[in-house]
Amino acid sequence: MKPTHKLLFVLCSMLVLGFMYYSSGKLHLFVWGQKSQTNAEFTTTSTTTSTYTTTRTATTKRPDVKPIAARDKHITEMENDINAGRIVDSVYDKQGFLLQLDIKLPPELMYKYGNLSEGACKPGYAAAKMSTIYPKFVKPAPMFLDRNFKRLGKVNNYLPPFGFKTQERVIDGILMETKYYGLGDKLDSLTCKRCIIVGNGGILANKSLGSKIDGYDVVVRLNEAPVSGYSKDVGTKTTMRITYPEGAIQKPENYEKGSLFVFSAFKPLDFKWLRHMVFKEKLRGVEGFWKSVAHAVPREASEMRILNPYFIQEAAFQFIGLPFNNGVMGKGNIPTLGTVAITMALHNCDEVAVAGFGYDMSMPHAPLHYYETVKMSAIKESWTHNISKEKEFLRKLVKANVITDLTRGI
Ligand SMILES: *[C@@H]1O[C@H](CO)[C@@H](O)[C@H](O)[C@H]1NC(C)=O
Ligand SMILES: *[C@@H]1O[C@H](CO)[C@@H](O)[C@H](O)[C@H]1NC(C)=O
Ligand SMILES: *[C@@H]1O[C@H](CO)[C@@H](O)[C@H](O)[C@H]1NC(C)=O
């Protein structure tokens, strides 16, 4: 061989050998990488609390109790799913709720709650449950507007009912007068609050739930639903009554002492009405309301609050999935007050219960409200609400045990 040929031969062999070594290393690294990833998943099963854990649990049924071979097969299938980006689509519904709702809490919370004495209030329970089925949930959202309300970024760009845009000055004036923005010292200082939202449904009648309802720390009632004369079924305690002008109690003697008058605005005109109520001004001209409104609210300004409009926005667009309509009120995109109250409670209560919710359309002769003789059949197709879509959302909450439905109407 000529020296040049010799050199070429050596160079070629080195290149071939080098390439073989390189590619085998790659191959080895690749296989090893896959394996170690799989192992890591097993060892972190009990400590990860991220959405990943819930996602995985939802697609594979507890792989750690299966035989090794089946386990590996499952993992491989799952990894293929993740790689194909299919997981997210198949596990969550359009609103972002997990399709499989019977998901357990993260182990550390199970442990924490398991250690509490029987029947004790579980701190953070409703929000934790909500987060397991709806990972987008962010808990902090104040119940009521305070003097810093303009900092609430999610609502200051929307008109009522989804925000307070154009009403800033009126609201500022009202809040300067009311001066208080919480539930009161006693309730605000509780480390664990149990709340119940009492709906107005006929399903509450004759169930003798009154004393059970009174046992909650916070009892929320809606609009003009009476207590007097119905206390055996609905209780006597009212922490707050959430109301809009057309729904407010009209007879001054029917307002219960010691409860907060919580105002929820659905249209800009509603804030004007509230200003009159707070400043005890005579109401002149009531055009623009869809039915007669109260002319006076026998409450001190210090007993009045403005509900954070974020709960209307979040319930409508995120939880229920009503038409966005450029963020303004339109056909079928306003949640009912009951669902708004539940949304508020998810952000501000540790445990949430409801009673008197749900209509059973298969019983047209059952009463619509617990305090009236109007029949269910009187309910008309609503322009503003979408009862069936709303019920789908409430069903998810009940099914996942985020809320407890005492009357089982949802
Ligand atoms: C739960 O109870 C056990 C046994 O009494 C105790 O050892 C543990 O520290 C408790 N854990 C918490 C989080 O309180
Ligand atoms: C509740 O009981 C009363 C008295 O027994 C009865 O008159 C009324 O119709 C009942 N209401 C409902 C909704 O069942
Ligand atoms: C309620 O929502 C459903 C499903 O999106 C829709 O088909 C129906 O028309 C809506 N009803 C009203 C009253 O907007």
Side-chain angles (χ1 to χ4, degrees), residues 22-63:
Y22 171 73
S23 45
S24 72
K26 266 280 190 225
L27 217 61
H28 177 74
L29 266 176
F30 182 68
V31 171
W32 183 81
Q34 287 274 320
K35 259 215 150 95
S36 72
Q37 203 182 332
T38 317
N39 287 338
E41 268 168 34
F42 276 115
T43 50
T44 55
T45 304
S46 56
T47 47
T48 356
T49 58
S50 66
T51 53
Y52 182 60
T53 310
T54 50
T55 306
R56 209 169 57 78
T57 328
T59 40
T60 68
K61 284 233 166 75
R62 300 205 69 96

Side-chain angles (χ1 to χ4, degrees), residues 319-370:
F319 292 167
I320 311 175
L322 298 175
F324 184 62
N325 195 35
N326 292 318
V328 296
M329 187 194 257
K331 185 177 182 299
N333 79 348
I334 310 296
T336 62
L337 197 57
T339 293
V340 173
I342 292 172
T343 303
M344 176 273 278
L346 293 178
H347 287 277
N348 290 282
C349 301
D350 297 276
E351 290 182 19
V352 180
V354 302
F357 275 71
Y359 310 106
D360 186 354
M361 289 306 187
S362 66
M363 293 175 65
H365 299 295
L368 182 59
H369 295 138
Y370 68 79

